[in-house]
Amino acid sequence: ETLQEQLIGGFTLNQPSINSNTGLLGQSAAMLGLALTTTPASSIEYIAYVRQNLQNKKIVPEAIAADEGYGFNSFTGILPIWKGFRNIAYFFFVLIFMVMGFAIMFRVKINPQTVIGIQAILPKVIALLLIITFSYAIVGLLVDLMYVVFYLIVNAFISFDIIKAGTLCGGMGTGAACMVQAASGQWGLPIAMFIQSFFVQLIAPSAIFSLASGLPQAVGVVIDLLLTITGINLIIRIILGFAIIFTFSKLFLKLLGAYVTIVIQLIFAPIILIGGAFPGSKAVGNWFRNILANLSVFPTTMIFLLLSYVFIIQPIVSGLGLLGVKDLASGTILNPPLLFAFAPSSSTVMTIIGLGLLLMASKYVDMVKDALQVPPFKYGTAISEALEAGYWGNKKWSDAD
């Protein structure tokens, strides 16, 4: 092989074997095939190469998606059902866009003065489409917000020294935090009922005697002990016990109804929200307010239970750090006319206030919904009606036996 042949071979990289013709035409065809089969310089590959170098040099860090949050992951079990109704809503949106197109072409009037126009309808429909698409994420965000609001209020109580415990429970020296969490319902409603009922049975009778007689709290305690020994005071404690069980049972049913309402509103959100496409509809606002109101009842209930616990235990909170509550009875409290015959102690009045907050626990849900002007879910009463029918039906069969 001559030097000239080596140079030609190095220049053409790979000699295409098109034919054995070494003339001008054959060589031209070979060079054309070489140009077509050889990959030119790619801008895509170059950009990918530059990006990889920048990431290796830590100039541009790799993007890592953030966690969706507790609220977003708390309804993953019903996410496939929501997706099904979302797709159904998308189908109806196709029909809505078709109807809008015909209405715009035929200049249909909304009222005698207004003609349907794309400028007036299209932004509203697109916004509604986005709300339906992100309705699941909106509910998840509101769930996260529910916890943020509750712990914000709890931390405010801690910063104002109303609660002498942190928000965490565990390890040595955290008995106060455990008591606060248990009494406020963070461990569940049955445990909160047990804790609250225990302190009511322990403190409330003596406070009632002290309030009725106008004597100091210590004298009320002595009267309570004497009546307990004789067995007369047992009636008061039985009445208080049944009253607390009754109000917590009603509260549980209302909280269960609120939870079921949230799930229903989430599952059918795409179908409910599609009503906002019609003129004058308030479907979006009503749906959002309904979700917000039903989620708000849970932190509101825990805050009221926490306040009732703080007030009820005031007569015994002094010096007992395990209860996790500040001694508020050292101050004064209003003694309104016509209500008390004698001026009771502050601790006695606070115990009665806490008992009142506890006995009205079944109305916490109604208070929140009234404040947000959301009508109660009237079909939720079917839960208690079914339980009542089951109870009386079982009693009927028991009597027949």
Side-chain angles (χ1 to χ4, degrees):
E1 188 179 29
T2 63
L3 179 61
Q4 182 180 3
E5 290 175 345
Q6 292 178 357
L7 291 176
I8 294 176
F11 175 76
T12 59
L13 297 180
N14 292 315
Q15 298 182 17
S17 57
I18 298 177
N19 51 46
S20 58
N21 190 0
T22 59
L24 179 61
L25 185 59
Q27 290 296 328
S28 299
M31 295 298 295
L32 181 60
L34 180 64
L36 294 176
T37 57
T38 303
T39 304
S42 173
S43 59
I44 298 176
E45 294 180 358
Y46 176 73
I47 293 174
Y49 170 76
V50 172
R51 179 182 61 83
Q52 183 178 4
N53 282 341
L54 291 177
Q55 288 182 353
N56 293 336
K57 300 298 183 181
K58 306 300 181 182
I59 299 176
V60 179
E62 183 179 358
I64 301 176
D67 185 44
E68 296 91 349
Y70 176 78
F72 189 90
N73 294 323
S74 58
F75 292 109
T76 53
I78 61 176
L79 182 58
I81 306 176
W82 173 84
K83 288 181 178 180
F85 283 102
R86 181 202 59 187
N87 295 337
I88 295 174
Y90 287 164
F91 170 74
F92 282 109
F93 261 101
V94 174
L95 300 180
I96 290 174
F97 279 114
M98 292 176 59
V99 173
M100 285 174 48
F102 283 110
I104 293 173
M105 285 190 299
F106 292 108
R107 300 183 61 84
V108 176
K109 293 184 178 181
I110 302 177
N111 53 56
Q113 292 81 24
T114 307
V115 178
I116 293 181
I118 190 171
Q119 297 86 355
I121 296 181
L122 190 60
K124 179 180 179 180
V125 175
I126 292 177
L128 183 61
L129 182 61
L130 292 175
I131 293 174
I132 290 176
T133 303
F134 293 102
S135 59
Y136 180 89
I138 291 172
V139 176
L141 178 62
L142 291 178
V143 171
D144 290 333
L145 184 62
M146 174 187 70
Y147 286 99
V148 170
V149 170
F150 171 71
Y151 286 111
L152 179 65
I153 297 175
V154 171
N155 287 323
F157 283 0
I158 295 173
S159 63
F160 296 147
D161 203 25
I162 299 175
I163 300 175
K164 292 181 175 297
T167 57
L168 299 178
C169 174
M172 297 296 294
T174 57
C178 296
M179 287 298 298
V180 170
Q181 287 188 355
S184 61
Q186 299 181 52
W187 291 2
L189 205 59
I191 296 180
M193 181 183 69
F194 175 78
I195 297 294
Q196 299 273 12
S197 179
F198 172 78
F199 285 108
V200 166
Q201 298 284 350
L202 181 66
I203 305 170
S206 60
I208 294 173
F209 294 142
S210 175
L211 191 66
S213 62
L215 298 175
Q217 180 78 16
V219 178
V221 172
V222 174
I223 297 174
D224 181 30
L225 289 175
L226 293 175
L227 294 177
T228 301
I229 293 173
T230 59
I232 300 175
N233 199 21
L234 183 62
I235 299 176
I236 297 178
R237 284 184 162 82
I238 292 176
I239 293 173
L240 290 175
F242 275 107
I244 293 174
I245 293 175
F246 176 75
T247 189
F248 268 84
S249 300
K250 291 186 65 177
L251 175 62
F252 173 77
L253 291 177
K254 289 189 177 182
L255 291 176
L256 180 61
Y259 176 73
V260 172
T261 303
I262 293 170
V263 174
I264 292 175
Q265 292 284 331
L266 175 58
I267 292 176
F268 294 98
I271 305 301
I272 296 173
L273 293 173
I274 204 171
F278 300 99
S281 175
K282 298 181 180 179
V284 177
N286 292 338
W287 175 83
F288 183 83
R289 189 164 60 248
N290 202 316
I291 291 288
L292 182 62
N294 284 283
L295 283 174
S296 299
V297 301
F298 295 97
T300 302
T301 299
M302 290 191 288
I303 292 300
F304 273 107
L305 290 177
L306 178 59
L307 286 176
S308 66
Y309 170 74
V310 170
F311 285 133
I312 287 173
I313 66 173
Q314 283 305 310
I316 62 172
V317 74
S318 180
L320 297 178
L322 289 178
L323 297 180
V325 174
K326 181 181 180 180
D327 184 7
L328 303 175
S330 57
T332 59
I333 196 167
L334 175 65
N335 180 18
L338 304 176
L339 188 57
F340 305 131
F342 305 95
S345 62
S346 298
S347 60
T348 301
V349 176
M350 288 183 178
T351 299
I352 299 302
I353 293 174
L355 180 61
L357 286 174
L358 190 63
L359 294 179
M360 62 182 292
S362 60
K363 297 297 181 181
Y364 296 160
V365 177
D366 300 332
M367 291 166 55
V368 175
K369 292 186 177 181
D370 290 342
L372 295 177
Q373 297 181 353
V374 174
F377 186 57
K378 57 183 180 180
Y379 306 107
T381 56
I383 299 176
S384 59
E385 292 173 359
L387 292 175
E388 182 179 356
Y391 170 76
W392 288 111
N394 181 58
K395 187 175 181 180
K396 181 179 179 181
W397 283 105
S398 300
D399 294 340
D401 294 338

